[in-house]
């Protein structure tokens, strides 16, 4: 997070190496490092990091969001379109997205 926000590639790379050494089966440090390289346009380095993930058999976990409505938790994984109320949910999310942009939110 912070290394990516401040484009501190050396510290980000060092942190990713340390986390990988402590938890070699964790894809997160590779994904974050890859995202850092992508943010500054270093596409060859992105490919190298992604290749390391393939070699190690690591896969990025899909993004997950959850919301509780009437004491029931609904979970959503990125790319999963199986929820029975998908259409209504997407329409509501588009409405909320418009509202927060009208209020001044600018996504990174």
């Amino acid at each position: 997070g912070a290394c990516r926000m401040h484009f501190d590639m050396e510290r980000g790379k060092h942190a990713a190496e340390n986390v990988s050494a402590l938890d070699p089966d964790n894809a997160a440090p590779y994904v974050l490092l890859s995202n850092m390289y992508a943010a500054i346009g270093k596409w060859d380095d992105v490919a190298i990091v992604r290749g390391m993930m393939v070699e190690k058999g690591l896969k990025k976990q899909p993004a997950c969001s959850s919301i509780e409505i009437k004491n029931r938790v609904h979970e959503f994984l990125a790319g999963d379109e199986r929820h029975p109320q998908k259409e209504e949910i997407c329409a509501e999310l588009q409405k909320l997205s418009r509202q927060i942009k009208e209020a001044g939110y600018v996504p990174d």
Side-chain angles (χ1 to χ4, degrees):
C3 296
R4 185 175 71 135
M5 284 176 57
H6 299 289
F7 299 103
D8 189 345
M9 292 304 300
E10 285 307 310
R11 191 171 296 180
K13 188 175 177 185
H14 181 70
E17 289 169 353
N18 286 335
V19 172
S20 295
L22 293 171
D23 189 0
D25 296 329
N26 187 348
Y30 295 95
V31 172
L32 290 172
L33 188 59
S34 173
N35 290 345
M36 288 175 59
Y37 284 132
I40 60 171
K42 291 189 142 204
W43 302 109
D44 289 341
D45 290 325
V46 170
I48 290 168
V49 173
R50 293 296 175 144
M52 289 167 53
M53 289 177 66
V54 170
E55 285 176 17
K56 295 175 185 285
L58 301 175
K59 293 188 178 178
K60 181 181 183 285
Q61 295 294 318
C64 179
S65 297
S66 59
I67 185 169
E68 183 177 340
I69 302 171
K70 297 180 182 176
N71 294 322
R72 184 169 175 217
V73 176
H74 300 266
E75 283 194 351
F76 305 91
L77 297 176
D80 183 1
E81 298 186 1
R82 295 177 291 173
H83 195 283
Q85 293 173 295
K86 173 189 165 281
E87 299 299 325
E88 297 90 342
I89 292 167
C90 287
E92 187 65 24
L93 288 172
Q94 287 177 347
K95 180 177 142 187
L96 290 170
S97 181
R98 277 193 306 274
Q99 289 174 346
I100 63 173
K101 286 178 184 174
E102 288 170 3
Y105 172 73
V106 179
D108 353 331

